[in-house]
Amino acid sequence: MLSVAVVGSGPSGVYTAQALLQQSLVPDVRVHVLDRLPTPYGLVRYGVAPDHEKIKSLQNSLRAVLEDERVSFVGNVGVGGADGVSPARLARLYHAVVYCVGAAADRPLAVPGEDLPGSFSATRFVSWYSAHPDIAADPFALDARSAVVIGVGNVAVDVARILARGADELRSTDVPHAALRTLADSRVREVHIVGRRGPSQARFTTKELRELGALPGARIVVDPAELALDPAYAAPGALPASPPLPAVVRRNLEVLRGWSAGGGPVTEGPGTPDAVRRIRLRFFLRPVELLERGGRVAGVRFARTAPDGAGGVRDTGAYEDIEAQLVLRAVGYRGVELPGLPFDPVRGTVPHRAGRVVRDGVPSPGEYVAGWIKRGPTGVIGSNRSCAKETVASLLEDAPLLESRTAAADPLAVLRGWGLRPVEWDGWLSIERAEAELGRSLGRGPVKIPDWPGLLAAARNGTGTGER
């Protein structure tokens, strides 16, 4: 039997397990999917916006893999950290280990004032309204009137949409109750989404963009003068076919064109005119400083940019200040070094060849990577399928060598002997039941438990238990 540990239970980890189950070269395979958290699904649970039910439903297909009799979910087991299992020790328990640990850090702006109170990463904000247990003790007080979201990707659009969406519309989701109350009391009325380049270089999808225009009680504001700075904007339908303008860019430009011409839609919503939230899409502005007043963030100073004719932008020498009491940066993710594994600090990835971890320039049979820690934070959720298949193909090529090694007969017993308290699948099902009961007590559907003690207490009510 080939015994494999997959570290990480998000899409890349589960797709790796699925690829191992679907292959026929090694018919007898056993997979343990390990996760630091007592809950599975990774960013599908803790990164997808709560009002994106269709994407969140991906949990159902991930669940089918984790419920296969050849797969075991092993939560509440950290790897590489001070309280976790080192890669060297983990390697002694399995024939192979595949690391699918994602890209957990956010990229900084690297400008003065970035650490002021009121300035956060969008990652932290997403984790807060998604009930990530590491963020439970750090609620957001949304007493700001104006918020600036720096970045023009889907994460930026997500956080802007949550800031502008009414709390009543989120009651049917699994948003934690404390976050829902905070969103209900929010004073935010202006949300600026700001990018340093033009709309043709924005990274959001048209679906995400259009969702902004469908928010009840929200007005979209786009400055036609800023759009006109983009060479691709003037007449996207008349651009030369080579190189072709991507279809998503053409659709985005058409949506923005419509909003700029009419001042943006306003969908009927509850409340007085003061309750209308304005979402301003801004382009060609590069952040250079976060401004301070009274010991906290009061705004952002931007340098005005313009196309440089080579696909980038240049500073024009002009500046603009935007008032804001809340600033969220959404300028990308970055992989984090896992102690015990090699790491490329420039790319933020583990060095590899077709998924094989490379140590001192030589592939290391038995150690593999997949997902963002392998290729960087690129692609969509589905991109992890082909990435996982490539890694599993390399693992299977190494299988004759790997199976000749000794693996633990009962890795979970060894982990418990090392003082760890794994949460198994029954423990996760107990957490699900507890979240459903919590929701019923609040007159809602299932509501996420947002803290470590609550999750582990719920897991202990099942047969798979955990302590921390």
Side-chain angles (χ1 to χ4, degrees):
M1 178 184 72
L2 182 66
S3 175
V4 181
V6 174
V7 181
S9 65
S12 63
V14 177
Y15 290 152
T16 297
Q18 184 178 51
L20 284 164
L21 300 182
Q22 292 176 341
Q23 56 79 34
S24 59
L25 293 176
V26 182
D28 191 9
V29 62
R30 178 72 180 177
V31 184
H32 283 182
V33 179
L34 280 60
D35 204 294
R36 181 179 70 88
L37 298 173
T39 57
Y41 309 136
L43 280 179
V44 177
R45 176 176 167 93
Y46 290 119
V48 174
D51 55 349
H52 277 176
E53 293 296 334
K54 184 174 181 180
I55 302 176
K56 288 175 73 68
S57 68
L58 177 62
Q59 292 183 15
N60 296 329
S61 60
L62 301 181
R63 183 189 195 100
V65 177
L66 294 175
E67 288 184 328
D68 189 285
E69 61 182 6
R70 296 165 290 174
V71 176
S72 296
F73 171 70
V74 186
N76 198 38
V77 173
V79 176
D83 299 328
V85 183
S86 71
R89 294 183 86 186
L90 192 64
R92 296 201 294 268
L93 302 184
Y94 299 91
H95 292 120
V97 181
V98 186
Y99 293 91
C100 306
V101 293
D106 61 278
R107 292 185 179 276
L109 296 173
V111 300
E114 185 171 10
D115 296 327
L116 284 169
S119 168
F120 303 93
S121 70
T123 304
R124 196 167 189 84
F125 188 65
V126 170
S127 294
W128 170 71
Y129 65 63
S130 298
H132 195 293
D134 289 345
I135 310 296
D138 185 24
F140 284 76
L142 300 180
D143 54 357
R145 293 284 295 181
S146 177
V148 166
V149 181
I150 299 174
V152 283
N154 281 345
V155 173
V157 174
D158 275 348
V159 298
R161 191 180 65 257
I162 295 298
L163 283 171
R165 186 181 283 285
D168 285 344
E169 302 163 55
L170 294 171
R171 280 188 59 82
S172 62
T173 73
D174 59 7
V175 167
H177 208 58
L180 188 67
R181 288 198 304 267
T182 299
L183 290 166
D185 294 336
S186 170
R187 297 178 62 239
V188 174
R189 294 295 176 266
E190 297 270 355
V191 181
H192 305 259
I193 305 174
V194 187
R196 67 183 178 89
R197 297 192 291 180
S200 67
Q201 295 168 311
R203 302 298 296 273
F204 39 66
T205 61
T206 309
K207 178 180 180 295
E208 292 262 0
L209 187 61
R210 285 174 174 156
E211 285 178 345
L212 293 177
L215 292 175
R219 178 188 294 275
I220 311 299
V221 180
V222 182
D223 185 351
E226 288 183 347
L227 300 184
L229 291 173
D230 193 323
Y233 175 74
L239 289 174
S242 180
L245 195 64
V248 64
V249 174
R250 290 182 183 272
R251 291 193 297 266
N252 287 347
L253 293 178
E254 290 302 328
V255 171
L256 294 169
R257 182 190 301 277
W259 286 349
S260 68
V266 179
T267 306
E268 289 297 324
T272 64
D274 184 59
V276 172
R277 292 178 169 92
R278 288 175 173 80
I279 302 174
R280 301 182 183 274
L281 286 138
R282 304 294 310 275
F283 299 98
F284 294 111
L285 292 172
R286 180 177 65 84
V288 294
E289 182 183 2
L290 270 62
L291 307 175
E292 179 265 342
R293 184 185 304 123
R296 60 177 296 111
V297 69
V300 184
R301 177 159 295 162
F302 292 94
R304 167 64 70 183
T305 65
D308 63 3
V313 293
R314 58 176 177 79
D315 286 354
T316 65
Y319 294 88
E320 178 178 340
D321 293 350
I322 297 179
E323 177 186 350
Q325 299 80 40
L326 174 66
V327 176
L328 300 173
R329 62 180 181 275
V331 292
Y333 295 98
R334 181 175 177 79
V336 178
E337 182 175 4
L338 195 69
L341 283 183
F343 187 70
D344 182 343
V346 176
R347 298 190 59 189
T349 58
V350 171
H352 72 93
R353 292 181 190 168
R356 293 182 180 89
V357 172
V358 172
R359 291 182 178 273
D360 300 321
V362 179
S364 175
E367 294 183 308
Y368 306 87
V369 286
W372 281 1
I373 198 64
K374 170 187 173 184
R375 67 181 192 276
T378 61
V380 295
I381 289 176
S383 306
N384 292 296
R385 286 187 182 275
S386 57
C387 178
K389 288 179 179 178
E390 179 191 55
T391 294
V392 167
S394 295
L395 189 157
L396 294 174
E397 288 178 7
D398 300 338
L401 170 63
L402 302 177
E403 289 182 296
S404 68
R405 299 175 175 177
T406 301
D410 187 351
L412 267 64
V414 178
L415 292 173
R416 293 190 185 96
W418 291 344
L420 295 163
R421 295 294 181 265
V423 170
E424 299 176 58
W425 190 250
D426 284 344
W428 158 240
L429 296 180
S430 183
I431 291 172
E432 278 194 320
R433 290 191 295 270
E435 293 184 336
E437 179 56 34
L438 174 60
R440 282 193 293 269
S441 72
L442 298 169
R444 300 172 56 191
V447 172
K448 287 179 183 173
I449 297 171
D451 59 273
W452 276 100
L455 288 169
L456 294 178
R460 284 193 293 270
N461 291 328
T463 58
T465 63
E467 296 175 0
R468 189 174 191 257

